[in-house]
Amino acid sequence: MSELKPATQRRPDRAALCIAAILLVISGIMFWDMARLSEAAGYSQVGPATVPKAIAFGLAGLAIWTIIAAFRHDFPEREPQEVKPVLWIVGGLTAQMLLLNTAGFSIATGIMFALTAYGFGKRKLWFSIPVGIAACYVIWLVFAKLLQLSLPAGPLERLFF
């Protein structure tokens, strides 16, 4: 006689369940906010709550689909996440947000560029920072002077304009 081996029970995919929970929260917030909108539709049946309602239902459907896929183990195994590069990139974004109003667009975005490049493996900050600031200064010139869009100016931008 053949022995029956117990099936190994795998846990549901926690990352997928976390994503499903986030989708459900966003959907719930949209349903709550949509309930505050008036359903006053003019001559047609389309009102201000129509599109948010469709998006909220779509997000809820995606959340349910993700939950089912998490329990069925439909998602492939993921490689382990390297935290250090992610922290360098988040640090670059944080530095840009903190420096944007005081240092200006070119310096803040150049530092963000250099820290992000460091996170992706470019280890020469002494080279990446000036190159990033120079490239961002050119971008600032195009957007602020040529296209007349408002970008924060700092000491570098005020030095020349």
Side-chain angles (χ1 to χ4, degrees):
M1 279 190 159
S2 65
E3 282 186 43
L4 292 176
K5 295 181 182 176
T8 58
Q9 292 286 336
R10 277 188 12 181
R11 294 182 182 172
D13 191 349
R14 286 190 218 159
L17 290 177
C18 182
I19 291 170
I22 292 170
L23 288 171
L24 279 174
V25 167
I26 293 171
S27 175
I29 290 171
M30 289 185 74
F31 277 121
W32 172 77
D33 192 42
M34 178 191 56
R36 299 179 324 147
L37 294 174
S38 67
E39 283 290 333
Y43 58 90
S44 68
Q45 296 303 318
V46 178
T50 305
V51 173
K53 185 183 294 186
I55 293 172
F57 275 116
L59 288 174
L62 285 174
I64 293 168
W65 188 5
T66 304
I67 291 170
I68 293 169
F71 279 100
R72 291 178 55 196
H73 308 291
D74 286 347
F75 296 105
E77 289 293 322
R78 288 173 294 282
E79 297 177 13
Q81 180 67 44
E82 292 184 37
V83 177
K84 203 171 181 183
V86 174
L87 291 177
W88 277 103
I89 294 168
V90 170
L93 290 169
T94 304
Q96 184 196 29
M97 287 189 289
L98 293 174
L99 294 173
L100 200 57
N101 288 330
T102 57
F105 177 82
S106 299
I107 294 173
T109 309
I111 290 173
M112 179 198 67
F113 168 81
L115 294 179
T116 302
Y118 192 90
F120 278 109
K122 185 73 173 172
R123 302 291 183 213
K124 298 177 183 175
L125 283 176
W126 60 268
F127 181 75
S128 297
I129 290 175
V131 167
I133 290 173
C136 293
Y137 183 71
V138 171
I139 292 169
W140 182 84
L141 284 173
V142 169
F143 279 91
K145 297 301 176 187
L146 187 64
L147 298 175
Q148 298 294 315
L149 296 174
S150 177
L151 290 176
L156 181 65
E157 293 86 2
R158 288 189 193 104
L159 180 67
F160 297 106
F161 292 99

